[in-house]
Amino acid sequence: MRVVFMGTPSFAATVLDELARCHDVVGVYTRPDAVRGRGRELSASPVKELACELGLEVFTPRTLRDSGEQTALAALEPDAICVAAYGAILPREVLDIPRFGCLNVHGSLLPRWRGAAPVERAILAGDEEAGVCIMRMEEGLDTGDFCVSRSTFVGDKSAAELTDELANLGARALITALAHVEAGAAKWTRQDESRVTYAEKIAKGELNVAPSASAAENARRVQASGEAHPSRASIAGRAVTVLEARACVADEGSEPARALRAGQAAFVQKRLYLGCAEGALEVLAVKPDGKKPMDAKAFAAGVPALRTPDAAWEEV
C-alpha cells in the first residue's frame, strides 16, 4: 500500500520504523526543525532523522491549509495517510485525499483522553490501564471511530516508559488496521460521547511536587514528568528535579517519617522523606541543579540540614 506518514516525536518515529518495513512510504511529513531539548540550535524531529536514515522523502510544511501543499500531497497518490503525534491539524481537503482515508495512532483508550497529553493525563488520574487506538480521522479533535485498540497496565511505569510501550503497541496495531482496511474487513467502533475526557497540554510547573498535595498525587506528578515537564522542588534550600519517588503506605516507613507534617523533610534510616498534605513521599532519585542525577542517599549526604528537626521543603 502507498502510504504517507505524518508525525514528529520519538513516539511517531517508532511507528514509522515499523510502517516502513511493511508498506511503501512515499512521503514523510513532520514539523519544521525547531529548538528542542536544552540546546539553542535548531534540530530535526526524531521522525525526520529516521526518515532520512531510511532514505524517505521528507516534507516540513508549516501548514497543510495551503492549496499548493495540498496539491503536492495529492500528487504522491497515497492509498492512506497515517498520522502519529504530528502536531498540526489536517483540514478536510487533506482528509479527503487518500482512498482509504487518514488513520491516527492515538495514545489512549478512546474516548478517554482525547487531546495532546494522553499518557501524562492517564498517569496523573491514577488510571490502571492505558492504551492506543487506531482512529479514522475527521475534522473534530480525536472524535473519529476506531478499529483496533491495544491496552497495557500503567503500574509504576514512567511517562517515558509508558509512551515507548504504547508506541510499539500502536505501530503493530496500525499494521493490523491497514490490512483490515485494505481488505474491507475493518470493524469500526463509534466513541461513546458520554465517556469523553480531554488530555489538556501539561502546563509549565504543573508537575512540580508541593507540600499542599497528597503523597499519592505528588508521586503521580513525578511519574508523569520528563525532560519537557520536570517535577521540581526545593529540599532544605536545594533546588532539584525529582526523578523518582513513591508514596509511603500508612503502615510503612519509620515513625519519624509517618509523623512528618506538610512541608517537613527528613533523612531517616538512609531514606529521604517529604511530608505532604496527606502522607509522606519517599524521594528515590534527584538531579540537583547544575549536577548529575543521583540517588536520594547521595544527595542527602551533602545536605546536613536534612538531619535537623527543622528541615523543610517547598514548591519552586
Side-chain angles (χ1 to χ4, degrees):
M1 186 183 294
R2 290 175 61 85
V3 175
V4 164
F5 180 79
M6 298 181 177
T8 299
S10 296
F11 176 93
T14 298
V15 176
L16 172 60
D17 192 34
E18 184 73 19
L19 182 65
R21 299 172 191 271
C22 304
H23 291 277
D24 181 15
V25 179
V26 295
V28 173
Y29 281 68
T30 189
R31 303 302 294 151
D33 294 359
V35 175
R36 296 182 173 87
R38 298 178 183 176
R40 298 181 63 85
E41 296 182 357
L42 288 177
S43 61
S45 73
V47 162
K48 181 178 178 179
E49 290 179 350
L50 175 62
C52 290
E53 290 176 11
L54 297 176
L56 303 175
E57 189 171 7
V58 177
F59 302 86
T60 59
R62 295 195 175 279
T63 178
L64 287 172
R65 297 189 180 280
D66 179 79
S67 60
E69 294 292 352
Q70 293 166 8
T71 299
L73 174 56
L76 296 174
E77 300 182 339
D79 296 313
I81 293 177
C82 297
V83 181
Y86 178 41
I89 300 297
L90 303 192
R92 170 52 59 187
E93 292 81 0
V94 170
L95 296 175
D96 289 341
I97 288 174
R99 62 181 179 128
F100 291 124
C102 299
L103 301 182
N104 182 37
V105 183
H106 184 71
S108 83
L109 294 172
L110 292 168
R112 187 158 179 80
W113 303 129
R114 292 177 180 175
V119 173
E120 292 86 350
R121 293 300 173 192
I123 292 174
L124 289 172
D127 289 0
E128 292 185 359
E129 279 191 319
V132 62
C133 288
I134 308 303
M135 179 192 70
R136 182 162 53 190
M137 297 182 71
E138 53 187 35
E139 291 183 276
L141 177 63
D142 300 332
T143 57
D145 300 344
F146 60 91
C147 64
V148 181
S149 65
R150 300 287 185 266
S151 63
T152 184
F153 288 109
V154 175
D156 60 358
K157 298 167 189 170
S158 68
E161 291 168 338
L162 187 55
T163 297
D164 184 61
E165 182 176 354
L166 292 178
N168 283 283
L169 288 174
R172 294 190 289 272
L174 176 62
I175 300 305
T176 298
L178 286 172
H180 290 174
V181 168
E182 188 173 24
K187 296 181 180 179
W188 298 97
T189 299
R190 185 177 299 278
Q191 295 186 43
D192 183 349
E193 292 294 326
S194 69
R195 297 173 53 227
V196 171
T197 57
Y198 287 95
E200 302 289 344
K201 289 182 179 179
I202 301 298
K204 182 177 181 180
E206 183 180 350
L207 301 184
N208 290 345
V209 292
S212 59
S214 70
E217 183 179 355
N218 279 326
R220 289 194 293 268
R221 292 180 185 182
V222 175
Q223 186 180 354
S225 68
E227 186 175 343
H229 299 285
S231 189
R232 303 273 293 154
S234 176
I235 304 175
R238 306 290 181 91
V240 303
T241 296
V242 182
L243 301 176
E244 187 178 353
R246 66 187 185 95
C248 299
V249 297
D251 59 349
E252 184 181 43
S254 67
E255 185 63 36
R258 292 199 299 270
L260 285 177
R261 298 190 305 274
Q264 285 187 306
F267 186 57
V268 182
Q269 298 176 352
K270 299 182 180 181
R271 297 164 76 173
L272 178 57
Y273 298 97
L274 306 180
C276 303
E278 180 182 336
L281 183 74
E282 182 182 358
V283 176
L284 303 174
V286 300
K287 183 188 179 303
D289 287 3
K291 297 185 178 181
K292 295 180 179 180
M294 61 183 69
D295 61 33
K297 181 180 176 181
F299 167 72
V303 188
L306 285 171
R307 294 170 177 77
T308 63
D310 59 348
W313 75 284
E314 61 185 357
E315 184 177 5
V316 296

